[in-house]
Amino acid sequence: MTDHHSQPQPTSVVQSPHAGRLSTTAFVIYVAVFFLVWSLRATVFIHIDESIESAVWKNVYSNSIKFIVWVAPVFILLGVLRLRPLMYLKLTTPVNKRGLIVGAIVTVAWFCLVVLAESIISHRSPGSMLTARFSDWPSILLGVFFSPIWEEIQFRGFFLNRLNESIGFWKANLIASLLFMLAHWPYWVSKFGFSGQVIKDSINVFLLGSLFGWLMKKTNSLWPAIGAHIANNFLSGLIHA
C-alpha cells in the first residue's frame, strides 16, 4: 500500500552507467595544479592585465583567462569521467523552492548587515552609499557579472560537491570556503602583504564562501549561490566607491 503521507525523496543526479568518480589523490593533484597555475597568473603574469588601458578590454581579458583556468578544465574532467557536468555542478538540478525562500531571506539579511557595518565605519548613510554611483550601476554590474559564475562553478559546483562525496557537507563546505579564500591570496599578498585589510577581506571571503555553499545545499542548485555572489560583488562595488 502506498503511504500518501511520506515525504518525496530528493532527486538524484542520474549519471552515465559508465561514469567514474574522481579519486581523492587525483582531486588533490587537480587542486594543487590549479593553485599553482592561478598563483602564477595572479602574480607573475598580472602585469598583462595592468598593461591594458581599456577597462572594457581588461575585463574581457581577465574573465577569459579565468574561464580558461577555472571552468574549462572542470567541464573537460567531468566529461572524461562521464559525470554529466551540468547535473554534477548543479546547474540543471531542480531548485528547492522552499530552500530558495529561506536562502533569499538569510542572504538579504547578510547584505543588510554588511551595508550597516560599512555605514558605521565610513560614517555615510546607507542611502548615500547605494545611490552615489547610480549612473554607474550598469557598468558596475557588467564588470562583476561573469567572474562570480566562474568562481562558483569551480568552488561550489566542483570542489564542494566532490568533497561532499567523501567527508560530508559541513566539513566540505569549510574546506571549500578555505580554498576559496586562499585563491584570493596570491594577488592580495603580493600587492599588500599580510596587512590588516587583507586579513579582514580574507575573513569576509571565507564567510561568503560558506554562505554560498549553504545556499547551494539549501536550494539544490548552484544558481542561487551564483546570484548571491553577483549581488555581493555589485554591492561591494557600490559601497566601496
Side-chain angles (χ1 to χ4, degrees):
M1 179 180 295
T2 303
D3 182 1
H4 296 288
H5 298 286
S6 61
Q7 295 295 321
Q9 295 300 312
T11 304
S12 60
V13 177
V14 180
Q15 304 292 0
S16 165
H18 303 290
R21 173 178 169 177
L22 186 66
S23 68
T24 300
T25 300
F27 176 70
V28 171
I29 293 174
Y30 182 95
V31 173
V33 171
F34 162 75
F35 270 90
L36 174 62
V37 172
W38 185 249
S39 295
L40 290 173
R41 181 269 183 279
T43 55
V44 177
F45 298 106
I46 195 65
H47 70 277
I48 298 177
D49 299 65
E50 296 170 344
S51 68
I52 302 175
E53 295 183 2
S54 169
V56 174
W57 285 110
K58 181 182 293 187
N59 189 41
V60 170
Y61 171 78
S62 177
N63 277 295
S64 298
I65 294 298
K66 182 168 273 189
F67 177 85
I68 292 171
V69 176
W70 294 49
V71 179
V74 170
F75 275 83
I76 293 171
L77 179 59
L78 294 178
V80 169
L81 294 171
R82 300 184 182 183
L83 286 172
R84 297 188 182 181
L86 294 179
M87 289 290 287
Y88 187 91
L89 299 169
K90 294 188 180 295
L91 290 168
T92 55
T93 48
V95 178
N96 182 318
K97 295 180 180 178
R98 180 178 296 180
L100 181 61
I101 294 173
V102 174
I105 293 173
V106 172
T107 302
V108 170
W110 169 268
F111 289 157
C112 288
L113 288 175
V114 169
V115 171
L116 178 61
E118 185 64 25
S119 174
I120 294 173
I121 294 172
S122 63
H123 303 290
R124 293 182 295 165
S125 69
S128 66
M129 286 192 299
L130 298 178
T131 60
R133 301 179 64 187
F134 183 76
S135 61
D136 295 332
W137 280 24
S139 60
I140 294 174
L141 180 59
L142 181 61
V144 303
F145 187 81
F146 292 101
S147 184
I149 301 176
W150 311 153
E151 293 180 5
E152 289 308 305
I153 286 175
Q154 171 84 297
F155 282 92
R156 257 59 64 179
F158 181 44
F159 285 3
L160 176 53
N161 279 318
R162 175 57 190 87
L163 288 165
N164 186 34
E165 294 173 356
S166 299
I167 59 176
F169 173 77
W170 295 110
K171 290 181 181 178
N173 194 30
L174 292 176
I175 293 175
S177 300
L178 178 63
L179 293 174
F180 181 55
M181 179 192 76
L182 293 177
H184 291 76
W185 274 18
Y187 178 77
W188 286 351
V189 175
S190 67
K191 289 293 182 180
F192 311 111
F194 285 100
S195 63
Q197 184 62 43
V198 169
I199 294 173
K200 173 179 173 291
D201 290 342
S202 296
I203 295 173
N204 182 57
V205 166
F206 176 81
L207 293 175
L208 281 171
S210 300
L211 172 63
F212 299 151
W214 174 81
L215 273 175
M216 186 181 71
K217 175 180 173 59
K218 198 70 178 176
T219 63
N220 189 46
S221 172
L222 188 61
W223 288 109
I226 290 173
H229 197 154
I230 293 173
N232 173 78
N233 288 15
F234 175 69
L235 180 64
S236 179
L238 292 179
I239 66 179
H240 294 123

